[in-house]
């Protein structure tokens, strides 16, 4: 029977040994980056990726604004006075003044810190979005691999059933077997044919999901290419979710500090010149105008900003603590699942090998007339089930490694 090659990285065994996990199911190393290619294709289609450059530009513009020597652009104030509508004695006065807003104490440094925190938050949100997309790509990839497996095994089962039915038909014609045996064999073919149709539909659905996510055709290779097993470590602050929540808390903290510095409107420095005369015929007198505008009273909106920023900071920090505990539990569960599936792969392969040898024995015995058809069909079904379990366990192990990497916050490589 045709055998397919299933590839799991050789680094997997080394990682299991380093982690203290069993390494009975060591599989040959391979290369390949199907998941990575699908992930990059899917990310190129995401709206967040297309808007990323503009969001970075906005963050940089915010930092540049915080570095300016004035919080707001200067304003030009032009004034003209005349007695033309009263006694019209020729009195005139013209004044041109530039009003320059001034930073409040500590406002500029806090504005720069808030802008820098927002810039970091933009990158953290993009990374977290990529990480969540990686989870969808990994899930779609292994769902397609499982569907391909079911379709391949169903096709093999049909081919074996057809071969057996042809053999039974010849023996029925020769009088070696009863017609009921022929009906049993044809029933097995019909059941296998139905299983192929169901597996084909499932494979089509899985392929369509992959295409809708990545815009690329589904992988056509038969071999399973696993990701590299991750190191035995718990997630740290670089985990995309934790980094996003930490950045969100930092932005809220900086915004609260900025709101605490903006307790009133910005003062203004006024610089200008004036020209005036008392009556017609006199020369214009020029003067320099210097003034300072200082708002009085506190800014009522700053209290609302401080309270809102404080609530957001508390929420983000609380969620960060909860997410840290959840991710640690998820990583531990994923690691234990990989260990269990490693053992399961070894057991399933041993069962498949033994069932295959038994099938060969009973096939020869059936041809010699030493075994009846029900026994032959039972042995064939057991061998098919064993092969299905072995190949399925390899896919489940590879998918578990991907989930382990996902829980650690690692993107496809």
């Amino acid at each position: 029977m045709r055998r397919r090659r299933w590839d799991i990285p050789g680094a997997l065994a080394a990682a299991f040994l380093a982690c203290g996990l069993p390494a009975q199911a060591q599989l040959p190393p391979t290369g390949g980056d199907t998941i990575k290619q699908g992930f990059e294709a899917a990310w190129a289609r995401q709206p967040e990726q297309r808007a990323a450059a503009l969001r970075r530009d906005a963050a940089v513009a915010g930092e540049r604004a915080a570095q300016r020597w004035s919080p707001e652009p200067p304003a030009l104030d032009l004034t003209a006075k005349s007695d033309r509508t009263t006694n019209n004695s020729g009195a005139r006065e013209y004044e041109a003044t530039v009003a320059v807003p001034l930073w409040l104490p500590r406002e500029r440094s806090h504005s720069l810190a808030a802008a820098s925190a927002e810039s970091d938050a933009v990158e953290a949100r993009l990374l977290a979005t990529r990480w969540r997309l990686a989870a969808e790509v990994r899930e779609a990839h292994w769902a397609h691999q499982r569907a391909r497996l079911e379709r391949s095994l169903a096709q093999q089962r049909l081919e074996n059933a057809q071969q057996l039915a042809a053999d039974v038909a010849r023996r029925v014609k020769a009088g070696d077997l009863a017609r009921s045996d022929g009906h049993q064999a044809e029933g097995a073919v019909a059941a296998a044919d139905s299983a192929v149709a169901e597996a084909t539909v499932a494979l089509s659905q899985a392929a369509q999901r992959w295409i809708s996510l990545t815009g690329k055709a589904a992988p056509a290779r038969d071999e399973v290419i696993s990701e590299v097993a991750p190191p035995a470590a718990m997630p740290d602050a670089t985990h995309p979710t934790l980094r996003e929540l930490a950045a969100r808390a930092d932005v809220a903290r900086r915004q609260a500090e900025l709101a605490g510095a903006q307790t009133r409107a910005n003062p203004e420095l006024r610089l200008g010149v004036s020209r005036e005369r008392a009556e017609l015929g006199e020369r214009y007198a020029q003067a320099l105008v210097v003034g300072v505008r200082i708002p009085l009273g506190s800014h009522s909106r700053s209290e609302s900003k401080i309270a809102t920023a404080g609530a957001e900071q508390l929420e983000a920090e609380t969620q960060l603590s909860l997410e840290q505990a959840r991710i640690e539990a998820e990583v531990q569960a994923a690691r234990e699942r990989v260990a269990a599936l490693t053992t399961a792969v070894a057991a399933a392969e041993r069962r498949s090998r033994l069932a295959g040898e038994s099938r060969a024995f009973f096939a020869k015995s059936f041809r010699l007339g030493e075994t009846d058809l029900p026994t032959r069909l039972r042995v064939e079904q057991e061998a098919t089930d064993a092969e299905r379990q072995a190949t399925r366990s390899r896919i489940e192990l590879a998918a578990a490694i991907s989930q382990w990497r996902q829980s650690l916050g690692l993107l496809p490589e």
Side-chain angles (χ1 to χ4, degrees):
M1 180 179 296
R2 182 174 61 91
R3 296 185 178 272
R4 295 177 306 284
R5 181 168 60 90
W6 302 87
D7 299 323
I8 302 293
L12 175 60
F16 286 158
L17 293 175
C19 302
L21 301 179
Q24 295 92 331
Q26 300 179 18
L27 299 174
T30 65
D33 54 356
T34 301
I35 297 180
K36 180 181 179 181
Q37 291 176 351
F39 169 69
E40 296 297 341
W43 176 242
R45 292 160 51 89
Q46 298 303 306
E48 293 85 355
Q49 190 274 340
R50 299 188 176 186
L54 295 178
R55 292 189 181 278
R56 292 189 179 100
D57 291 344
V60 171
E63 293 184 13
R64 286 201 301 263
Q67 294 173 350
R68 293 172 182 166
W69 55 275
S70 176
E72 298 290 340
L76 177 63
D77 186 9
L78 300 177
T79 305
K81 297 181 181 179
S82 172
D83 63 349
R84 182 173 301 172
T85 58
T86 55
N87 57 6
N88 197 22
S89 61
R92 300 287 188 272
E93 182 179 353
Y94 304 100
E95 182 176 314
T97 307
V98 176
V100 182
L102 302 177
W103 291 102
L104 291 168
R106 301 179 296 112
E107 181 186 12
R108 185 179 186 182
S109 60
H110 288 320
S111 295
L112 184 57
S116 179
E118 184 61 39
S119 180
D120 293 340
V122 168
E123 297 300 328
R125 283 194 294 268
L126 287 174
L127 178 61
T129 302
R130 283 170 59 84
W131 175 72
R132 285 187 283 268
L133 177 64
E136 297 183 37
V137 172
R138 283 170 166 142
E139 182 180 353
H141 173 81
W142 294 118
H144 182 262
Q145 289 295 320
R146 293 185 186 97
R148 283 183 59 83
L149 162 69
E150 297 295 340
R151 176 64 172 77
S152 178
L153 291 178
Q155 184 63 38
Q156 287 187 24
R157 177 185 173 189
L158 176 60
E159 293 173 358
N160 293 338
Q162 289 173 339
Q163 182 178 359
L164 179 59
D167 188 17
V168 170
R170 286 193 300 269
R171 296 181 62 180
V172 168
K173 186 176 181 180
D176 294 339
L177 294 176
R179 293 183 61 186
S180 60
D181 292 333
H183 289 177
Q184 278 188 306
E186 289 298 330
V189 172
D193 202 7
S194 176
V196 169
E198 294 178 0
T200 301
V201 172
L203 177 59
S204 177
Q205 293 175 343
Q208 287 301 321
R209 181 186 177 191
W210 176 267
I211 293 173
S212 65
L213 186 62
T214 65
K216 303 291 184 181
R221 62 184 66 188
D222 288 334
E223 62 269 15
V224 174
I225 299 180
S226 173
E227 296 185 82
V228 178
M234 297 305 290
D236 53 20
T238 61
H239 191 285
T241 297
L242 302 182
R243 180 178 171 184
E244 181 185 29
L245 290 173
R248 177 181 161 192
D250 187 47
V251 169
R253 181 170 55 254
R254 300 299 184 183
Q255 290 292 343
E257 294 174 352
L258 177 59
Q262 295 174 331
T263 56
R264 63 188 67 203
N266 294 90
E268 292 181 354
L269 174 64
R270 303 175 66 86
L271 300 174
V273 294
S274 66
R275 299 180 70 237
E276 63 176 325
R277 69 182 182 185
E279 59 184 21
L280 187 64
E282 290 186 358
R283 296 176 58 122
Y284 279 96
Q286 297 187 359
L288 179 65
V289 179
V290 179
V292 177
R293 178 177 176 271
I294 302 178
L296 302 177
S298 61
H299 203 313
S300 59
R301 289 183 297 179
S302 64
E303 298 179 1
S304 175
K305 292 181 179 180
I306 293 174
T308 301
E312 292 180 356
Q313 179 183 351
L314 179 60
E315 179 182 347
E317 290 177 347
T318 303
Q319 188 175 355
L320 177 61
S321 177
L322 296 175
E323 194 69 14
Q324 176 73 37
R326 186 195 67 80
I327 290 176
E328 290 178 357
E330 184 178 345
V331 169
Q332 182 64 24
R335 183 171 177 268
E336 293 175 356
R337 183 167 183 263
V338 169
L341 287 173
T342 303
T343 304
V345 166
E349 287 180 340
R350 185 167 61 253
R351 180 197 173 199
S352 178
R353 176 175 53 81
L354 294 174
E357 293 175 357
S358 297
R359 175 166 54 189
F361 297 153
F362 279 94
K364 181 178 180 180
S365 175
F366 177 74
R367 288 194 299 269
L368 296 176
E370 299 175 355
T371 301
D372 58 9
L373 182 60
T375 302
R376 175 70 178 86
L377 291 176
R378 177 180 57 80
V379 172
E380 180 67 29
Q381 182 63 42
E382 290 178 355
T384 300
D385 291 342
E387 184 178 3
R388 178 179 182 276
Q389 181 183 7
T391 51
R392 181 68 181 266
S393 64
R394 294 187 186 98
I395 287 185
E396 293 302 327
L397 176 57
I401 294 174
S402 286
Q403 181 59 37
W404 189 7
R405 292 181 60 87
Q406 181 70 25
S407 64
L408 286 170
L410 303 177
L411 298 178
E413 297 179 354

